[in-house]
Amino acid sequence: MAPTVNWSGSRQLLRQLRDTMRSSGSAESRLQTIVEVIASEMKASVCSCYITRAGEVLELVATQGLNRSAIHQTRLRIGEGLVGIVAAREQTEAFEDAPSHPQFAYRPETGEDPFHSLLGIPILRSERLLGVLVIQSLEARRFEEDERESLETIAMLLAELIASSEFLSDLEKRGIDYQTVGTPRLVGQGLVKGFARGFVAYHDQEILIRRFVAENETEEQDRLSAAMKALQLSLENLSKMGAVAGDQQSREIMNAYKTIAADRGWLRKIREAIKTGLTAEAALHRTITDYRARFNQITDPYLKERVADINDIATRLMKHLVEQSEGGVIRDKDLGNRTILAAKTLGPAELLDYNPENLSAILLEEGSANAHAVILAKSMNIPVIARIKNLFNTINDGDEVLVNAHENSVIVRPRNAVADLFEESVQAFHRRRSEDGAQSALPSITKDEKEVGLFVNAGLMMDVAHLEETGAAGIGLFRTELAFMARQGFPTVEEQTEFYTSVMNSAGQKAVNFRTLDVGGDKVLPYWSNGHEENPAMGWRAIRVGLDRPAMLRQQLRGLIRAGDGKALRVMFPMISEASEFFRAKEIFDLELAHEKASRDVEPNSVSVGIMLEVPGLIWQLDQLAPHLDFISVGTNDLLQFAFAADRNNPQLSNRFDTLSPAALALLKSVAECGNRHGVTTTVCGEIAGSPLEAMALIGCGFNNFSMSWSSVSAVKAMVRSLDSQAIAEYVEYTLTRSYQSLRQPLLAFAKDHAVRL
Ligand code: PEP
Ligand code: MG
């Protein structure tokens, strides 16, 4: 094969491919024609296309040059063989002498023995791996840059054909035999980021009940009372553990939990069940089964998480009852180190039962960021992936798994090659982290000396604790509702003042943007109900509640003003959808300010009031509103979910639109331009602000400030310091006028060409 494709040849090739893609015929026959065209135009001995199946297996689906009979027969795991390496790394890889590579996986059915060089290009769409395009040549040779470029462009086109066709569903129907191929890969939601490699232990809650019918009712009632006492005592002891006692949020969680444990309602039910002739454990079992059934009907995510708490308490109480009757102690499973705990749900006390030293990660079939156990795991730095479908169907007790909570994935029973690649990427990640971390004291400034403000998002004191080490300029978004959610009752003004004061004190001289409560919708407080809503994200939430129930908003503002006495106070209102809402909220704020000054002589040194831009409709009023704002914070999590009508919490939709699509960037660019036009500081504080590639694109759109999770600051700063802001601005401007597809690949290419650190 000779390197013959230059750009004019490539254009002709692309035209041919486009015509083939548009032609009639099945997707598979079009794909076959495409590989034939590529092989002929690029003078390659072989051109093949592999498609990813079930997220873990690469199947040969079209080839020119290999035996056609191998189509649908040859399958490789991701990470297996050279094609598998390309897939695992998701980057173009060239192998001059493929058969001599230690990971070469020979498949006799393909007849690929005579070929030496191999160039593999991942077929990616919205960061999702759809397959691998491969060319091979008879002789050992180097591949030129323009060949790679041509094939990367072709791979982008192929991604569209594969994603839009009946192809994938056809393949899915064909079924997959996991006995012969496949390292199962599960996906969920990475709630606490991190990596882990270890062995699964099921979190087993079931306790066998041996006696159902009571002989003596009074005895059973006494046994219940004794077990309750023992339960309360054991909870007290857990609360005194170092991991809990040293952390305010963890203490509050355990207090909330103890209140549930002491709840008279369910105790009364157990006592009534004992009166019907059941033993204490059988009565507990019946009561709890009833509770679970009722809670399972609830859609409210906060209350749903309380099922985990109740399960946890019931299991604990059951253990105490069984201990009494059997006279022994039920020991928790002895965990080896490197244990990956797999549970349906997990309560906070259940988590604390395990020695955190032995826990490498937690996998949950249910669970959400609201779960008490998840918040505790975060404070203990244990990675968590939740909402994993089919967890227990796919993973066996004792299985080895690779957990990547940064990418929300779990690889089950990995082959050595896959595990080695995983270890390699974990090491690279940590290397990169420590290199980036070394930059924390350096200024956040681009190569062309533009300052980029980097801030952290926080909501718990444990997030604030990381502010100093990141070198961030302050807290760009403080989500006040998180502290409210960990409690059992609405905090008083004094309690709020104390909390906000401790946040400001921890932040020292650095700015803190407090966001007023974003409750309602799916963020529900246990002590405050807003009834059932069909569409909670778009429901009665955030400032809408604040304006309709001003007492709640006033109390919070009072707490904030008091905490800001003699300091710089910065407050913003969430989910403003039209200018008038801001003016009404600001009026309430001004009244409180005047009241606090008059009645207590409390007065912040300076006051800045801004909004969260999360509702697309407001963009059309932003020019009128901006002159009245001290700052704008762009909540892209909500803004984009509403702009694309795609629920941000629905994993099925997570790849539905690309945050780097021309539409998303054009929308965000118009917001940045509006902020800049009016000289109002505009900060992006949604998840995308913490991704170096996205943040690079946003600098190109005109944003100069970003607020993100503390763990992302160093990586974003490394990107900023390697970027020329003028060059990216020109590039974004240019590509936005030319591309109809995602700008992700062009932006990645820009970063590569300009040595931007991603
Ligand atoms: C957002 O919507 O982008 C945002 C930062 O707010 P939250 O994620 O708390 O809704
Ligand atoms: Mg939001």
Short mmCIF file of all heavy atoms in Angstrom, two decimals, residues 37-61:
data_model
loop_
_atom_site.label_atom_id
_atom_site.label_comp_id
_atom_site.label_asym_id
_atom_site.label_seq_id
_atom_site.Cartn_x
_atom_site.Cartn_y
_atom_site.Cartn_z
N VAL A 37 -14.59 0.74 -1.30
CA VAL A 37 -14.15 2.01 -1.89
C VAL A 37 -12.88 2.50 -1.18
O VAL A 37 -11.92 2.91 -1.83
CB VAL A 37 -15.28 3.08 -1.76
CG1 VAL A 37 -14.77 4.46 -2.15
CG2 VAL A 37 -16.46 2.69 -2.63
N ILE A 38 -12.88 2.42 0.14
CA ILE A 38 -11.71 2.91 0.89
C ILE A 38 -10.47 2.10 0.49
O ILE A 38 -9.40 2.66 0.20
CB ILE A 38 -11.92 2.81 2.42
CG1 ILE A 38 -13.09 3.69 2.85
CG2 ILE A 38 -10.65 3.24 3.17
CD1 ILE A 38 -13.49 3.50 4.32
N ALA A 39 -10.62 0.76 0.47
CA ALA A 39 -9.47 -0.09 0.14
C ALA A 39 -8.93 0.27 -1.24
O ALA A 39 -7.72 0.40 -1.43
CB ALA A 39 -9.87 -1.55 0.20
N SER A 40 -9.85 0.49 -2.18
CA SER A 40 -9.38 0.76 -3.53
C SER A 40 -8.76 2.16 -3.64
O SER A 40 -7.67 2.33 -4.15
CB SER A 40 -10.54 0.52 -4.50
OG SER A 40 -10.67 1.55 -5.42
N GLU A 41 -9.43 3.17 -3.08
CA GLU A 41 -8.92 4.54 -3.18
C GLU A 41 -7.62 4.72 -2.41
O GLU A 41 -6.77 5.49 -2.81
CB GLU A 41 -9.96 5.53 -2.64
CG GLU A 41 -11.15 5.75 -3.56
CD GLU A 41 -10.76 6.40 -4.87
OE1 GLU A 41 -9.96 7.35 -4.87
OE2 GLU A 41 -11.25 5.91 -5.90
N MET A 42 -7.50 4.05 -1.27
CA MET A 42 -6.30 4.24 -0.46
C MET A 42 -5.24 3.18 -0.76
O MET A 42 -4.23 3.12 -0.07
CB MET A 42 -6.68 4.25 1.03
CG MET A 42 -7.62 5.39 1.34
SD MET A 42 -7.69 5.80 3.08
CE MET A 42 -6.14 6.63 3.35
N LYS A 43 -5.53 2.39 -1.74
CA LYS A 43 -4.60 1.33 -2.17
C LYS A 43 -4.17 0.48 -0.97
O LYS A 43 -2.99 0.18 -0.76
CB LYS A 43 -3.38 1.92 -2.87
CG LYS A 43 -3.76 2.93 -3.96
CD LYS A 43 -2.84 2.90 -5.12
CE LYS A 43 -3.31 3.69 -6.32
NZ LYS A 43 -4.42 4.59 -6.20
N ALA A 44 -5.15 0.13 -0.17
CA ALA A 44 -4.88 -0.70 1.01
C ALA A 44 -5.19 -2.16 0.68
O ALA A 44 -6.13 -2.44 -0.06
CB ALA A 44 -5.73 -0.25 2.18
N SER A 45 -4.42 -3.09 1.23
CA SER A 45 -4.69 -4.51 0.97
C SER A 45 -5.99 -4.92 1.67
O SER A 45 -6.72 -5.77 1.20
CB SER A 45 -3.56 -5.38 1.52
OG SER A 45 -2.32 -4.82 1.19
N VAL A 46 -6.21 -4.32 2.84
CA VAL A 46 -7.40 -4.68 3.62
C VAL A 46 -8.06 -3.41 4.16
O VAL A 46 -7.37 -2.50 4.61
CB VAL A 46 -7.01 -5.55 4.85
CG1 VAL A 46 -8.22 -5.82 5.74
CG2 VAL A 46 -6.37 -6.86 4.42
N CYS A 47 -9.36 -3.39 4.12
CA CYS A 47 -10.09 -2.36 4.89
C CYS A 47 -11.25 -3.08 5.56
O CYS A 47 -12.03 -3.78 4.90
CB CYS A 47 -10.59 -1.24 3.99
SG CYS A 47 -11.52 -0.04 4.96
N SER A 48 -11.35 -2.95 6.87
CA SER A 48 -12.42 -3.65 7.59
C SER A 48 -13.10 -2.70 8.57
O SER A 48 -12.51 -1.70 8.99
CB SER A 48 -11.87 -4.81 8.42
OG SER A 48 -11.01 -5.59 7.66
N CYS A 49 -14.32 -3.06 8.89
CA CYS A 49 -15.04 -2.27 9.90
C CYS A 49 -15.55 -3.21 10.99
O CYS A 49 -16.17 -4.24 10.70
CB CYS A 49 -16.20 -1.56 9.22
SG CYS A 49 -17.08 -0.52 10.36
N TYR A 50 -15.24 -2.86 12.22
CA TYR A 50 -15.74 -3.59 13.39
C TYR A 50 -16.74 -2.69 14.11
O TYR A 50 -16.55 -1.49 14.17
CB TYR A 50 -14.60 -3.91 14.37
CG TYR A 50 -13.59 -4.89 13.83
CD1 TYR A 50 -12.62 -4.47 12.92
CD2 TYR A 50 -13.58 -6.21 14.26
CE1 TYR A 50 -11.68 -5.36 12.43
CE2 TYR A 50 -12.64 -7.12 13.77
CZ TYR A 50 -11.69 -6.69 12.86
OH TYR A 50 -10.76 -7.57 12.38
N ILE A 51 -17.77 -3.31 14.63
CA ILE A 51 -18.78 -2.51 15.34
C ILE A 51 -18.86 -2.97 16.80
O ILE A 51 -18.74 -4.17 17.09
CB ILE A 51 -20.15 -2.69 14.65
CG1 ILE A 51 -20.04 -2.13 13.26
CG2 ILE A 51 -21.26 -2.06 15.44
CD1 ILE A 51 -20.97 -1.08 12.90
N THR A 52 -19.05 -2.00 17.68
CA THR A 52 -19.15 -2.34 19.11
C THR A 52 -20.52 -2.92 19.41
O THR A 52 -21.53 -2.35 19.01
CB THR A 52 -18.99 -1.07 19.97
OG1 THR A 52 -17.95 -0.32 19.43
CG2 THR A 52 -18.72 -1.41 21.41
N ARG A 53 -20.53 -3.99 20.12
CA ARG A 53 -21.80 -4.60 20.49
C ARG A 53 -21.90 -4.69 21.99
O ARG A 53 -20.96 -5.10 22.65
CB ARG A 53 -21.93 -6.00 19.89
CG ARG A 53 -21.75 -5.99 18.41
CD ARG A 53 -22.29 -7.24 17.81
NE ARG A 53 -23.58 -7.53 18.38
CZ ARG A 53 -24.17 -8.70 18.32
NH1 ARG A 53 -23.57 -9.70 17.73
NH2 ARG A 53 -25.35 -8.88 18.85
N ALA A 54 -23.06 -4.34 22.49
CA ALA A 54 -23.34 -4.39 23.94
C ALA A 54 -22.24 -3.68 24.73
O ALA A 54 -21.95 -4.04 25.86
CB ALA A 54 -23.47 -5.84 24.40
N GLY A 55 -21.60 -2.70 24.10
CA GLY A 55 -20.62 -1.86 24.79
C GLY A 55 -19.31 -2.57 25.10
O GLY A 55 -18.47 -2.02 25.78
N GLU A 56 -19.10 -3.81 24.63
CA GLU A 56 -17.90 -4.50 25.07
C GLU A 56 -17.25 -5.41 24.06
O GLU A 56 -16.12 -5.85 24.25
CB GLU A 56 -18.27 -5.31 26.31
CG GLU A 56 -19.42 -6.21 26.00
CD GLU A 56 -20.11 -6.68 27.24
OE1 GLU A 56 -19.69 -7.71 27.73
OE2 GLU A 56 -21.04 -6.01 27.67
N VAL A 57 -17.97 -5.73 22.98
CA VAL A 57 -17.43 -6.67 22.00
C VAL A 57 -17.33 -5.98 20.65
O VAL A 57 -18.23 -5.23 20.27
CB VAL A 57 -18.37 -7.90 21.88
CG1 VAL A 57 -17.89 -8.84 20.79
CG2 VAL A 57 -18.42 -8.63 23.21
N LEU A 58 -16.24 -6.23 19.93
CA LEU A 58 -16.10 -5.68 18.59
C LEU A 58 -16.38 -6.79 17.60
O LEU A 58 -15.74 -7.85 17.67
CB LEU A 58 -14.68 -5.16 18.39
CG LEU A 58 -14.32 -3.96 19.25
CD1 LEU A 58 -12.81 -3.82 19.37
CD2 LEU A 58 -14.92 -2.69 18.67
N GLU A 59 -17.31 -6.56 16.69
CA GLU A 59 -17.67 -7.61 15.74
C GLU A 59 -17.31 -7.16 14.35
O GLU A 59 -17.63 -6.02 13.96
CB GLU A 59 -19.17 -7.89 15.84
CG GLU A 59 -19.61 -9.03 14.96
CD GLU A 59 -21.08 -9.36 15.18
OE1 GLU A 59 -21.43 -9.74 16.32
OE2 GLU A 59 -21.86 -9.22 14.24
N LEU A 60 -16.64 -8.03 13.59
CA LEU A 60 -16.31 -7.70 12.21
C LEU A 60 -17.60 -7.68 11.40
O LEU A 60 -18.33 -8.69 11.38
CB LEU A 60 -15.34 -8.75 11.64
CG LEU A 60 -14.92 -8.54 10.20
CD1 LEU A 60 -14.02 -7.31 10.06
CD2 LEU A 60 -14.20 -9.77 9.65
N VAL A 61 -17.91 -6.55 10.75
CA VAL A 61 -19.18 -6.49 10.02
C VAL A 61 -19.00 -6.21 8.54
O VAL A 61 -19.94 -6.37 7.76
CB VAL A 61 -20.14 -5.43 10.63
CG1 VAL A 61 -20.70 -5.88 11.94
CG2 VAL A 61 -19.48 -4.09 10.75
#
